[in-house]
Amino acid sequence: MDKELRNRDIRYCVDRSVFHETELGGSTPPSTNSGRAIFNAAKNKLRCSRSAAKSLLFKFIPILQWLPHYPVKEWLLGDIVSGVSVGILQLPQGLAYALLAAVPPVFGLYSSFFPVFIYSFFGTSRHVSVGSFAVVSIMVGSVAESLVTNDNFTLPGNDSIIDMDARDKARVEVVAALTLLVGIFQIILGLVQFGFVVTYLSEPLVRGYTTAATIHVTVSQLKHIFGLPLSERSQPLSLIYSLISLFRRIHNTNIGTLVVSTIALLCLFAVKEVNQKWQSKLPMPIPIELVVLVISTGLSYGINLHEQYGVGIVGNIPTGLLAPTVPKTDLFFQVVGNAFAIAVVGYTITISLAKMFAIKHGYKVDSNQELIALGLSNLTGSFFHCFAVTSSMSRSLVQESTGGNTQIAGSVSSLITLVIILKAGELFTALPKAILSAIVIANLKEMYKQFMDIPALWRTNKYDLLIWIVTFLSTICLNLDIGLGVSVIFGLLTITFRTQLPQYSVLGQVFDTDIYRDICQNTMTKEVDGIKIFRTSSAIYFANAELYAQTLKAKVGVNIDLLIEKKKKAVMKRKRGLQKVITLAQRILSNTKKGSGLEFLMNKEAIVGSLQTLSETIPNPPTLQSLGLERLSFHSLILDFAAVCFIDTVGIKMLKIIFEEFKDIEVDVYLVNCPGSILRQLQSSRFFNETFTPALIFPTIHDAVSYLSQTHESSSLQEVTAI
């Protein structure tokens, strides 16, 4: 009966667990004690499940967590002003960066709306401004130009005329597929908690790469600055080929285009300098890009620059939004490598800016959620013909400096872009392309300042300088995609090289303290009498295990291998001498006859026994002193493992050899500052035995020094007393 009641209660709890907690609370509880326990457990599990689901929802959609607590009176005005400022800046940059992405300008506006609006729901940074960015745009453009070349769209019978509409349509399809794959990569990396992938892109690598990308961006815009029809190149050394082609045709420069570009650049650089100099006194930066955009469009339309002087213009900018379409997945195989590179580079830029603002304003960003947010932005944008986006440094600084506190500012800026797309896009039909190129180049001013990293790194870290230079040169010569791969591989090789050649040092004690420092770098240290302390700055593994042992022997000031060899020779020499004496005695005894005058030699056993007694007076094993060799000036060796993060099987074997060799020359070896993982590795590798026990390990250097000093003093007193 009890069993039936218990089974009924189990079914009751399982069935009722699908209902709301209030229904459980209002139901008749089970009749047995076990049933009530199961009922309460199910009720608590449901509460935990609801709490976990709520936490997961808030983590995945952060806006649900902070929006209900949004301080409207304190932050709303600042977010609106910031959003308007960024929206004004986003218009010219969106149009300009579309040229870098090798798509018509209107797609730059699309990329400034959809991804920005999506990020405001899923991003954890309150200050970054997501949208088009020069480095990512040029990476997208290089893919589009390499897969969709002008040569494939020349009109029949006239190779000099290109079907621009068909070419642009094909490039938009490639860019959309690329952006979709970028979004998928970023979402997958975020879901598998792979945000740490950015750690393989060190700051020198990223800065060297973005500096080289800046050169690529600048060169790609020179054709619009000079008004020259140059073909696109995306293979290795494309930058060099582009410059050669430019200089060969420099005599065909369109003077009208060059004048427009020069005036625009002068105005942009001058006002940007004013914005930077008077940043603290201006309520918001002067939107010089928008001013130049509006004035140049008006002048171009009024003077008819395109017809009168041959100045290239943007052309038709359709109003309204395009219907969403699914990108062509059959293009994935052709762009998969580039998509992963763009996904990683875009995330690196975003998380760097996000962490910078988070530290400044005292909040945290979730690196994995940032990957998901950026991935969803690109994924959604790809269905609306957007190109891949990331955070823009210039817009993010504007958003933060003009009072932006949350991604409400991002939503406002995206809505301003939407209004322009729906109503004002056609007003910029007469906008000269040279103006957009000038805006692109002017916004790269801060990026060019990264060349100052070279003297700074020369003073601080030569390895980082080498990474910066190799990254820069490989990206310049091999193009953006291959250059990034080469840079990452070289960065990893430098890590391997640096662990192969770590810093080794002999430590001494700072007088009357428990502090131990490198005796070569600190004049206040002195070696402890009779004790050598050796430290490495790296892990011990197959690549540097032999070097560790060689450096250790060199640092102690004694040729250990030679001393061991001398000891072996001395031992063998003594053994041979004893053997000769024993052999000689045996031969004499065998020839000795009773009564021959050698009565004192009573029998063979007596002589052999006396010789064996003589051999036993020699220590076993023989000491250096008994062999006539000079004793070492130290009796103990301490190996500091404070910086050893791991040790492999090769390292453990080498460590055991070190223990045995120094034991052979009467030096005891001790380990200090061993991490728990190292101890577990030593234990699992059966490093310890009857000779080398865990008693040879001390928690700190000072503990080992204190113990060894006291022990050696006690043994010395005993020897003196015995004498």
Side-chain angles (χ1 to χ4, degrees), residues 222-229 252-254 257-258 261 310:
L222 292 179
K223 61 183 179 182
H224 298 299
I225 296 294
F226 290 94
L228 296 174
N252 294 326
T253 298
N254 185 295
T257 302
L258 182 61
S261 305

Side-chain angles (χ1 to χ4, degrees), residues 155-335:
L155 295 178
N158 193 340
D159 294 341
S160 61
I161 300 178
I162 300 172
D163 188 349
M164 305 293 287
D165 293 337
R167 185 203 66 178
D168 290 344
K169 181 180 178 182
R171 286 183 175 178
V172 168
E173 291 176 348
V174 171
V175 168
L178 175 67
T179 304
L180 175 60
L181 204 53
V182 168
I184 292 174
F185 275 132
Q186 289 173 332
I187 292 173
I188 292 174
L189 292 176
L191 290 176
V192 299
Q193 307 290 298
F194 209 63
F196 69 88
V197 70
V198 72
T199 58
Y200 294 105
L201 301 179
S202 64
E203 184 178 356
L205 188 150
V206 172
R207 292 177 71 86
Y209 181 79
T210 53
T211 305
T214 301
I215 303 294
H216 277 279
V217 171
T218 303
V219 172
S220 70
Q221 296 307 295
L222 292 179
K223 61 183 179 182
H224 298 299
I225 296 294
F226 290 94
L228 296 174
L230 301 179
S231 59
E232 296 91 356
R233 300 174 183 270
S234 58
Q235 72 272 23
L237 299 178
S238 61
L239 187 72
I240 308 301
Y241 292 136
S242 296
L243 287 174
I244 293 174
S245 179
L246 176 70
F247 287 121
R248 283 178 176 174
R249 302 183 184 184
I250 196 72
H251 60 281
N252 294 326
T253 298
N254 185 295
I255 302 301
T257 302
L258 182 61
V259 170
V260 170
S261 305
T262 304
I263 295 174
L265 283 171
L266 291 175
C267 293
L268 288 166
F269 280 122
V271 177
K272 281 183 175 291
E273 195 67 30
V274 172
N275 282 338
Q276 186 173 2
K277 187 174 182 180
W278 300 95
Q279 182 179 3
S280 59
K281 297 183 180 180
L282 293 173
M284 61 174 287
I286 301 172
I288 184 59
E289 289 96 342
L290 182 63
V291 173
V292 169
L293 202 72
V294 173
I295 293 176
S296 61
T297 302
L299 290 175
S300 175
Y301 180 79
I303 304 175
N304 199 1
L305 291 176
H306 179 60
E307 297 294 337
Q308 295 291 333
Y309 302 99
V311 176
I313 60 174
V314 170
N316 181 43
I317 299 181
T319 57
L321 298 172
L322 296 178
T325 58
V326 178
K328 291 185 175 181
T329 56
D330 56 344
L331 295 171
F332 280 3
F333 182 75
Q334 302 178 58
V335 299

Side-chain angles (χ1 to χ4, degrees), residues 130-148:
V130 171
S132 54
F133 184 60
V135 174
V136 172
S137 298
I138 191 65
M139 293 178 73
V140 172
S142 67
V143 177
E145 290 173 352
S146 64
L147 296 180
V148 184

Side-chain angles (χ1 to χ4, degrees), residues 661-708:
E661 288 183 344
F662 276 90
K663 185 72 175 177
D664 202 33
I665 57 173
E666 302 170 22
V667 175
D668 294 323
V669 184
Y670 301 86
L671 299 179
V672 299
N673 294 323
C674 272
S677 59
I678 301 295
L679 292 177
R680 287 190 292 272
Q681 283 180 284
L682 294 176
Q683 189 72 39
S684 62
S685 301
R686 298 183 180 181
F687 175 83
F688 300 110
N689 52 34
E690 295 179 357
T691 306
F692 308 121
T693 67
L696 299 176
I697 298 176
F698 288 85
T700 66
I701 298 176
H702 194 64
D703 289 333
V705 170
S706 300
Y707 170 79
L708 295 174

Side-chain angles (χ1 to χ4, degrees), residues 566-608:
K566 285 183 177 179
K567 182 179 178 180
K568 288 180 179 179
K569 289 182 178 180
V571 170
M572 292 300 298
K573 183 178 180 181
R574 176 156 296 187
K575 285 183 177 180
R576 286 195 299 269
L578 287 174
Q579 188 63 38
K580 286 181 180 179
V581 172
I582 293 173
T583 303
L584 178 62
Q586 289 176 341
R587 189 168 61 250
I588 293 173
L589 286 174
S590 64
N591 296 327
T592 301
K593 296 181 179 179
K594 194 177 290 187
S596 61
L598 296 175
E599 291 82 358
F600 63 93
L601 297 175
M602 299 300 298
N603 52 55
K604 180 167 64 177
E605 286 77 16
I607 292 180
V608 173

Side-chain angles (χ1 to χ4, degrees), residues 368-416:
N368 292 304
Q369 180 59 28
E370 284 298 303
L371 260 174
I372 294 174
L374 206 57
L376 287 172
S377 299
N378 284 316
L379 180 70
T380 305
S382 67
F383 291 95
F384 295 92
H385 312 91
C386 302
F387 52 84
V389 298
T390 185
S391 297
S392 165
M393 180 178 292
S394 60
R395 292 197 306 272
S396 297
L397 291 172
V398 169
Q399 181 167 318
E400 186 255 353
S401 62
T402 53
N405 294 292
T406 66
Q407 283 301 324
I408 294 291
S411 299
V412 172
S413 68
S414 66
L415 293 177
I416 290 177

